[in-house]
Amino acid sequence: MKRSRLRLQPAHRQAAAVVTVTLATAFVSLVILAITFVSGIITAQVEGQYAGTDVIVQPTVDDETGVAGQIAPADVEKTDGVRAAWPVPENLLGKLVADESKIDDQNPFATPGAFVDVQVAPPGADSDTRLNSGSMPSSPSEVLIDTAIAEDNDLAVGDELVLQKVTDGKPVRLTVAGIQDTPKSALLGASPLVMTSEGAATLAGDPVEFGGPAIYAQVEDGTDPAQVVKQLQADGFDATTTEQVIKDMNSAVLVMVASLTVALGSFVAIAVVTAALVVANTFAVTVAQRRRSFALLRALGATRGQVVRLVLKDSALVGLVGAVIGVVLAYLAGTGVLNLLRITSSTAFPPLPPLSILAIIVPIVLGVLLTVAAGLVPAISATKVRPVEALRPIEAAAGKGAGVIRTFVAVLLVAAGAALLAAGWFLALRNDSPDAAVTAVPMLVAILGTIVMMIGVIAGVLVVVPAIMRLFRAALGRIGGVPGRFAALNAGRHPRRSAATITALVIGTTLMATMSVGANTAERTLITELNSSSPFDVIASSAAFTDSSAKRTQAVDGVETAVQGVSVDVKAPNGEMMTILGFDRDEIERVSVLDGLADDVRDNEVLVGKDRAESFGLKDGDTLTAPDGTKVRVRVNESLSLTLTTEETVQHFSTSPETAVAARLAERSDPQRKQTDAPTILTEVGSVLGPQAQGGDDGADEENPAGLGLDMPGIERDMFTTAVNGLLMFATGMLAVAVLVALVGVMNTLSLSVVERRGENALLRALGTSKGQIRAMLAWEGVIMALVGAAIGLLLGTVFGVVGARTVVPASVPFVVGIPWVTLLAVVVLAILAGLLASVIPARSAAKVSPAEALAAAD
């Protein structure tokens, strides 16, 4: 007789759990692949940097003067056992130019082309296995390029290329001697271009005294590098074996990779926890829906242990299938990303991600453990079903709400978390210590408070869900009619199921809001401080500037406005020379990034920052006497890093002051800016003002007697904003996985709700409810859960973000709260749309069933 077994679930009821596990494990696998890829690149750079080298020799530093001594390859080669030594240039770059006619010899940065990293070929490197064609360079006019340079510039062995020297802007013609495989290290910087030592010296601009921070050396065959190192050290050199240097650098790489793993691991943990909540909710609901099946199984003689094993077996199968699919998707995604980067960035990127056993084993093991753990509680509950329940109707009863103990614990944890957050804020307001360990205390207290409160909220969602749904029921009765009222009623009838789904959304949206609010607050606070300190993006001064200097500066793409003023050096009370800048108040209003600065600048007064005043021996209320006898009052500002007054006041100190130019950059969103970064814009500004200061316009002495004073605070401002935005985008992208998993949970909950209320929906249809109203009811239910999860998450995230930013900003810096309303509103809108989208498939399924068919259906 054929043996049959009772299945725990039809396969389609586990689809959402499989999808959830797939998303979580694919994310885990991708993170492991990314860490493996990055660590491989860094390791390759470390080892490739010292290829063909046995010993590294560095000049000794004088203990008294701190000046490094001079060292030459010939000095190292005198040591017994050293076969060859060669200098290593530091940051020697050239620009590969496609069109020599477009070379800007005054500013190589403005020349169209790509920078390349110039390296020195070690002796005896002709046998390098990385060579694809040709040979290693053997003369100063020959060069070895990689396949990326060859493909991008259509170069072959024997072709000529033009390289612009960064030192003086002059072009150098070189012949391609060979082509090698593009090393992984090229992904961390400019593509490598290999030359002989003599060729690199010519490119550096000083063939006679060419050198760098170190000398590389090879030892004779059969010679122990450690013995050569001892001899070099005895001769007064600071020498180390290459093997030891690589070992030390790899140790540093391990520390960095460990830090990266911890950072990415936190996002992985968030995605896994969210997935665990969704899967546990799925199993709990599906097991509850099969109570009669379990009761029948128990009536036929199945033991409790058999029932548990049945549930856990299916749970493990769900985890295994989802994890395997996740790993496959991770490798497909990794392959797609790498090939996209090969097309858009560099052919140095490999076409396939690295084969990593960890990227395969860890997600699969994690997926199985996750589903087994999520199915454990439902499995135990399945053993408590009594055989007599097999005779009862299949309609599920309403779920239970939170008990007294759970409510008490949730309230206690939320209160404790709030107290810790308040303590972190209080400590941050009184903590201005330079000691990093002391400064970290408020942040650690706030993090602890965040964790405690988050746990309390997760426990307390079940407490508040019934009350929230009652409020929605009243409101949706007016807005959504009967479907809206039934949606809120259905969500509240099973608070545990709804709470589990809402909790998953709360976790994702809380973290996204925390990152957005925290980053925005920190950015606004520190940018405000930077603006108070350096109110101009560019400050330049020179006696050689003309009336056209400001106009030329403003003509640079990305510069919003530029104004002209004056500058003079005045002897301060401590005997040092202090530069005073003078601009008309209207001009200050136009160019300053600090609102209200023009109102603080007055005639016969100089405005100077507190720290700057102390460095020059000035105090608020002091008086400076100008050469014409005018008394100029000193007014101390809290943060300003310069000395500022009106142009008329500067005239009292000098009848022929230097010309000064102040400029303000356009916002990144401004079309004039063209998304150009500040360093590029300000480099162009320097290339415009530099020749003028050097007398380029009037043929003055090349030694630049006029001098050029150039300060560019806009670079720091722009780089900080870019870094914050980049970090925020990265974190948001990572957290999006958790939100996506939570939305799958919403769809899963609605799908299971449709199955569970099949008879109820049929009765509604029999009483005249249309298919559209059934679909609207499911849509409202999805929107309610998404909206409640988003609202709780945004509220918590806003609090966590503001408190977190307060604990990392020094107490001496004025704190400015920044709420990114557009971002938070976008989260709410996306949550509503996602809730609607998640309801589409379940709603269609519910609307398709005929009243007679559903009323007659049995389990």
Side-chain angles (χ1 to χ4, degrees), residues 219-371:
V219 301
E220 299 286 354
D221 293 339
T223 304
D224 184 3
Q227 295 299 321
V228 175
V229 166
K230 290 182 179 179
Q231 183 62 44
L232 287 167
Q233 290 174 343
D235 293 340
F237 294 108
D238 181 4
T240 313
T241 62
T242 303
E243 181 182 1
Q244 184 60 45
V245 171
I246 292 177
K247 185 182 296 184
D248 293 341
M249 294 189 71
N250 281 337
S251 298
V253 170
L254 286 176
V255 173
M256 186 189 69
V257 171
S259 301
L260 179 63
T261 302
V262 171
L264 294 179
S266 61
F267 293 105
V268 169
I270 293 166
V272 170
V273 169
T274 306
L277 288 170
V278 172
V279 173
N281 189 37
T282 301
F283 288 162
V285 174
T286 54
V287 167
Q289 291 173 350
R290 302 293 293 174
R291 289 183 67 86
R292 287 187 64 188
S293 297
F294 290 121
L296 181 59
L297 193 62
R298 293 281 285 120
L300 294 174
T303 65
R304 294 178 186 271
Q306 287 176 318
V307 173
V308 169
R309 285 193 295 272
L310 177 62
V311 177
L312 294 184
K313 181 180 178 181
D314 280 9
S315 300
L317 184 60
V318 168
L320 181 63
V321 172
V324 170
I325 297 174
V327 170
V328 173
L329 289 179
Y331 268 90
L332 290 175
T335 301
V337 170
L338 288 175
N339 282 277
L340 180 63
L341 291 173
R342 282 175 62 84
I343 296 172
T344 59
S345 180
S346 170
T347 55
F349 284 96
L352 296 173
L355 181 61
S356 170
I357 299 300
L358 289 177
I360 298 173
I361 299 298
V362 171
I364 292 177
V365 172
L366 184 62
V368 173
L369 290 177
L370 185 150
T371 52

Side-chain angles (χ1 to χ4, degrees), residues 172-195:
V172 176
R173 292 174 180 80
L174 302 169
T175 301
V176 178
I179 299 175
Q180 66 171 340
D181 292 335
T182 301
K184 289 182 179 179
S185 57
L187 300 177
L188 297 179
S191 296
L193 187 148
V194 182
M195 303 179 68

Side-chain angles (χ1 to χ4, degrees), residues 829-843:
V829 172
L830 288 175
I832 294 174
L833 294 176
L836 288 171
L837 184 63
S839 71
V840 171
I841 296 177

Side-chain angles (χ1 to χ4, degrees), residues 402-418 449 451-464:
V404 176
I405 295 178
R406 185 189 187 106
T407 303
F408 175 76
V409 171
V411 172
L412 183 63
L413 288 174
V414 170
I451 295 172
V452 171
M453 179 176 279
M454 198 67 192
I455 295 173
V457 169
I458 291 173
V461 168
L462 180 58
V463 178
V464 299

Side-chain angles (χ1 to χ4, degrees), residues 15 38 55 142 164 177 180 187 233 284 295 383 497 531 584 697 771 804 819 825 828 847:
V38 171
V55 175
E142 291 184 337
Q164 183 183 17
Q180 66 171 340
L187 300 177
Q233 290 174 343
T383 65
R497 185 181 62 204
N531 291 349
D584 288 341
D697 288 345
K771 290 183 178 181
I819 306 296
L825 180 61
V828 174

